[in-house]
PDB file of all heavy atoms in Angstrom:
ATOM      1  N   GLU J 252      -8.488   3.992  -8.359  1.00 93.00           N
ATOM      2  CA  GLU J 252      -8.688   3.241  -9.600  1.00 93.00           C
ATOM      3  C   GLU J 252      -7.688   2.104  -9.725  1.00 93.00           C
ATOM      4  O   GLU J 252      -8.015   1.029 -10.243  1.00 93.00           O
ATOM      5  CB  GLU J 252      -8.564   4.160 -10.809  1.00 93.00           C
ATOM      6  CG  GLU J 252      -9.619   5.241 -10.894  1.00 93.00           C
ATOM      7  CD  GLU J 252      -9.225   6.514 -10.177  1.00 93.00           C
ATOM      8  OE1 GLU J 252      -8.296   6.480  -9.341  1.00 93.00           O
ATOM      9  OE2 GLU J 252      -9.838   7.546 -10.441  1.00 93.00           O
ATOM     10  N   GLU J 253      -6.458   2.332  -9.272  1.00 95.00           N
ATOM     11  CA  GLU J 253      -5.427   1.300  -9.341  1.00 95.00           C
ATOM     12  C   GLU J 253      -5.731   0.161  -8.367  1.00 95.00           C
ATOM     13  O   GLU J 253      -5.511  -1.011  -8.672  1.00 95.00           O
ATOM     14  CB  GLU J 253      -4.063   1.908  -9.058  1.00 95.00           C
ATOM     15  CG  GLU J 253      -3.606   2.891 -10.117  1.00 95.00           C
ATOM     16  CD  GLU J 253      -2.272   3.535  -9.781  1.00 95.00           C
ATOM     17  OE1 GLU J 253      -1.998   3.761  -8.573  1.00 95.00           O
ATOM     18  OE2 GLU J 253      -1.506   3.842 -10.711  1.00 95.00           O
ATOM     19  N   VAL J 254      -6.210   0.511  -7.186  1.00 96.00           N
ATOM     20  CA  VAL J 254      -6.595  -0.514  -6.217  1.00 96.00           C
ATOM     21  C   VAL J 254      -7.707  -1.389  -6.785  1.00 96.00           C
ATOM     22  O   VAL J 254      -7.661  -2.618  -6.711  1.00 96.00           O
ATOM     23  CB  VAL J 254      -7.043   0.136  -4.896  1.00 96.00           C
ATOM     24  CG1 VAL J 254      -7.711  -0.895  -3.985  1.00 96.00           C
ATOM     25  CG2 VAL J 254      -5.854   0.765  -4.177  1.00 96.00           C
ATOM     26  N   LEU J 255      -8.714  -0.760  -7.390  1.00 96.00           N
ATOM     27  CA  LEU J 255      -9.812  -1.512  -7.992  1.00 96.00           C
ATOM     28  C   LEU J 255      -9.309  -2.411  -9.116  1.00 96.00           C
ATOM     29  O   LEU J 255      -9.799  -3.532  -9.299  1.00 96.00           O
ATOM     30  CB  LEU J 255     -10.872  -0.548  -8.522  1.00 96.00           C
ATOM     31  CG  LEU J 255     -11.647   0.233  -7.453  1.00 96.00           C
ATOM     32  CD1 LEU J 255     -12.523   1.295  -8.099  1.00 96.00           C
ATOM     33  CD2 LEU J 255     -12.493  -0.697  -6.601  1.00 96.00           C
ATOM     34  N   GLN J 256      -8.317  -1.940  -9.853  1.00 96.00           N
ATOM     35  CA  GLN J 256      -7.720  -2.751 -10.911  1.00 96.00           C
ATOM     36  C   GLN J 256      -7.020  -3.974 -10.327  1.00 96.00           C
ATOM     37  O   GLN J 256      -7.117  -5.086 -10.864  1.00 96.00           O
ATOM     38  CB  GLN J 256      -6.741  -1.899 -11.720  1.00 96.00           C
ATOM     39  CG  GLN J 256      -6.199  -2.571 -12.964  1.00 96.00           C
ATOM     40  CD  GLN J 256      -5.269  -1.659 -13.737  1.00 96.00           C
ATOM     41  OE1 GLN J 256      -4.527  -0.857 -13.176  1.00 96.00           O
ATOM     42  NE2 GLN J 256      -5.301  -1.770 -15.058  1.00 96.00           N
ATOM     43  N   GLY J 257      -6.318  -3.779  -9.216  1.00 97.00           N
ATOM     44  CA  GLY J 257      -5.650  -4.894  -8.563  1.00 97.00           C
ATOM     45  C   GLY J 257      -6.623  -5.895  -7.979  1.00 97.00           C
ATOM     46  O   GLY J 257      -6.431  -7.108  -8.091  1.00 97.00           O
ATOM     47  N   VAL J 258      -7.687  -5.392  -7.347  1.00 98.00           N
ATOM     48  CA  VAL J 258      -8.700  -6.284  -6.782  1.00 98.00           C
ATOM     49  C   VAL J 258      -9.351  -7.114  -7.886  1.00 98.00           C
ATOM     50  O   VAL J 258      -9.593  -8.314  -7.720  1.00 98.00           O
ATOM     51  CB  VAL J 258      -9.768  -5.470  -6.022  1.00 98.00           C
ATOM     52  CG1 VAL J 258     -10.939  -6.362  -5.621  1.00 98.00           C
ATOM     53  CG2 VAL J 258      -9.162  -4.818  -4.789  1.00 98.00           C
ATOM     54  N   ALA J 259      -9.612  -6.477  -9.022  1.00 97.00           N
ATOM     55  CA  ALA J 259     -10.233  -7.190 -10.148  1.00 97.00           C
ATOM     56  C   ALA J 259      -9.356  -8.318 -10.649  1.00 97.00           C
ATOM     57  O   ALA J 259      -9.856  -9.295 -11.219  1.00 97.00           O
ATOM     58  CB  ALA J 259     -10.528  -6.208 -11.283  1.00 97.00           C
ATOM     59  N   ALA J 260      -8.036  -8.207 -10.438  1.00 97.00           N
ATOM     60  CA  ALA J 260      -7.110  -9.252 -10.870  1.00 97.00           C
ATOM     61  C   ALA J 260      -6.897 -10.327  -9.812  1.00 97.00           C
ATOM     62  O   ALA J 260      -6.212 -11.317 -10.068  1.00 97.00           O
ATOM     63  CB  ALA J 260      -5.765  -8.630 -11.247  1.00 97.00           C
TER      64      ALA J 260
END
Side-chain angles (χ1 to χ4, degrees):
E252 296 89 343
E253 294 177 326
V254 168
L255 292 172
Q256 188 178 35
V258 171

